[in-house]
Amino acid sequence: MWDRLAGSFLAATFWLPVPGLADELIFKNGDRLTGTVVRLEHGKLTFKSDVVGNVTAAVDQLESFSTQEPIELHLTDGRTVSDRVVRAEAGSVRLAGDRSKVGFTEIEEINPEPMQWHGSLAAGFVIERGDTDSQEAHIDFKARREADAYRLRFRLRYQGDRSRSGGSDFNTTDRLLRVTSQYDVPVNGRYFWYWRGQGERDGVADLVLRTILGSGIGFKLIDRSDFKFEVQGGLAWVREDYKDSSLDTDYPSSVIRWDLTKDLHDAVSFFHEGEWTPSLREFSDKQLLITETGLRVQLLKGWFGEAKLHWELDTEPASGKERQNLDYIFALGWGF
């Protein structure tokens, strides 16, 4: 009888969490880390270490792991289990409740983030009074929503400048509105299919509406928390309507797009993105190119300042209009 009681006591002691202990990662090479399991997604486990901070490890590098508090496991068979886990055989963990073994290949996610929108709103305004009165405004809104099966992206950009001298009427030197939306579907690892639509109106360039609809494939060359770089390539159909309807045109095009963000410091990041849309019908004559390069500095919580160069090229603008446009933009923004 005493042997059975002692055995039950030892088993209970083994399976119950011990106060003061932390979650533990055990790597295949024998290394161990203590801290807290944050989440697992796309085959990568994020772990907050007591010593080195946040660590991301591929599950195929792990022997096993254990937790001191229940975690939410989303399994590949559709079940969701909330339980503490303990170390088990290589490539698996064991549920503390019913002691059933769960292989890493059976786990789709751990503690997934609730789906929500993330993005930023940046705005810059300049009003000058004197011999020359001028008004300038820049608004840039970005939003994205990510889930396992898809990703949505949305962007709205507005740029407006006007000036006057000696009490004359204002002369508009820049008036641009561009709206873009994109839908991504993961294919395998870092690859994804995308479908993209864009509408643009440029009053100064006499462009009533430019519509670009396209699709293609993207690849995340670098996907780290401090360094991200992705490229996209595909085909699109471009339709341009001008004030002078004799200039209206449409044509098939290829599209190459890139987006790079690199943290230079805890509060400073560098970004560069671009889009090249050459016509497949008149490759050497009709091309659109947009690039944006700048620095972003984190200020108070959620707030940031940024300075960037925005350059655009249209090799066939409306008659009498400029082929190139370069803007120096300084803005204050809020991230969410």
Side-chain angles (χ1 to χ4, degrees):
M1 175 180 176
W2 288 108
D3 291 342
R4 288 197 298 270
L5 288 175
S8 299
F9 175 77
L10 290 174
T13 302
F14 178 79
W15 290 105
L16 289 174
V18 180
L21 293 184
D23 300 352
E24 185 178 40
L25 288 188
I26 302 99
F27 291 84
K28 289 181 177 179
N29 63 4
D31 291 344
R32 294 169 180 255
L33 277 179
T34 57
T36 304
V37 171
V38 178
R39 71 177 51 86
L40 183 149
E41 56 186 2
H42 308 304
K44 295 181 180 179
L45 189 143
T46 302
F47 191 80
K48 186 176 182 181
S49 167
D50 300 332
V51 179
V52 296
N54 285 342
V55 174
T56 300
V59 292
D60 58 11
Q61 297 176 333
L62 301 177
E63 179 84 10
S64 189
F65 62 90
S66 62
T67 67
Q68 291 299 306
E69 299 293 337
I71 56 176
E72 187 176 295
L73 297 96
H74 291 238
L75 306 181
T76 54
D77 62 6
R79 291 183 299 143
T80 299
V81 179
S82 181
D83 200 352
R84 189 172 64 88
V85 300
V86 297
R87 180 180 179 180
E89 292 82 356
S92 65
V93 293
R94 194 175 295 277
L95 299 178
D98 60 10
R99 302 189 185 182
S100 60
K101 188 173 70 172
V102 180
F104 290 166
T105 57
E106 301 175 68
I107 304 174
E108 186 170 326
E109 290 182 304
I110 293 177
N111 296 338
E113 282 189 301
M115 286 191 301
Q116 55 185 330
W117 287 95
H118 297 278
S120 63
L121 174 63
F125 301 94
V126 176
I127 299 176
E128 182 180 340
R129 293 289 183 265
D131 293 336
T132 299
D133 296 341
S134 65
Q135 301 172 353
E136 302 177 16
H138 166 79
I139 298 173
D140 194 356
F141 174 74
K142 299 178 182 178
R144 71 182 187 279
R145 183 175 184 176
E146 296 192 35
D148 289 336
Y150 69 89
R151 175 173 58 182
L152 289 173
R153 308 191 219 191
F154 176 83
R155 183 174 185 180
L156 181 149
R157 180 176 182 269
Y158 172 79
Q159 179 87 16
D161 302 337
R162 65 177 190 168
S163 62
R164 67 179 180 183
S165 299
S168 61
D169 293 336
F170 275 102
N171 176 42
T172 300
T173 57
D174 194 2
R175 187 170 68 245
L176 170 73
L177 176 64
R178 180 180 293 125
V179 179
T180 305
S181 62
Q182 181 167 318
Y183 181 77
D184 301 338
V185 176
V187 179
N188 182 16
R190 296 183 177 184
Y191 290 92
F192 59 90
W193 291 110
Y194 76 84
W195 291 263
R196 184 180 177 93
Q198 179 174 296
E200 176 183 341
R201 182 182 180 91
D202 190 336
V204 174
D206 292 340
L207 178 65
V208 176
L209 180 64
R210 175 185 288 132
T211 305
I212 304 177
L213 300 175
S215 179
I217 192 166
F219 179 63
K220 297 181 180 181
L221 289 168
I222 302 173
D223 189 20
R224 303 201 316 251
S225 59
D226 65 332
F227 191 8
K228 295 184 181 296
F229 182 32
E230 74 173 39
V231 294
Q232 301 174 29
L235 299 174
W237 188 264
V238 182
R239 171 70 187 180
E240 296 178 340
D241 295 298
Y242 291 89
K243 287 183 178 180
D244 181 355
S245 59
S246 65
L247 299 175
D248 293 354
T249 184
D250 54 20
Y251 53 89
S253 72
S254 57
V255 179
I256 297 176
R257 193 175 297 109
W258 59 94
D259 190 352
L260 180 150
T261 304
K262 177 70 172 71
D263 290 346
L264 304 179
H265 185 268
D266 291 343
V268 181
S269 59
F270 168 82
F271 59 88
H272 173 71
E273 60 182 282
E275 179 178 322
W276 180 41
T277 310
S279 169
L280 294 177
R281 186 180 297 160
E282 305 172 75
F283 183 84
S284 60
D285 296 327
K286 183 61 176 178
Q287 300 186 40
L288 304 173
L289 179 61
I290 301 173
T291 67
E292 194 166 87
T293 306
L295 292 174
R296 174 175 290 188
V297 180
Q298 297 298 323
L299 304 174
L300 301 175
K301 183 177 181 180
W303 292 90
F304 62 87
E306 65 180 19
K308 60 186 178 183
L309 296 177
H310 185 94
W311 179 66
E312 297 194 12
L313 169 69
D314 183 348
T315 57
E316 279 192 356
S319 178
K321 304 303 178 181
E322 296 292 333
R323 287 163 48 98
Q324 300 185 52
N325 187 45
L326 177 63
D327 294 312
Y328 300 87
I329 300 170
F330 301 91
L332 178 67
W334 173 67
F336 60 90

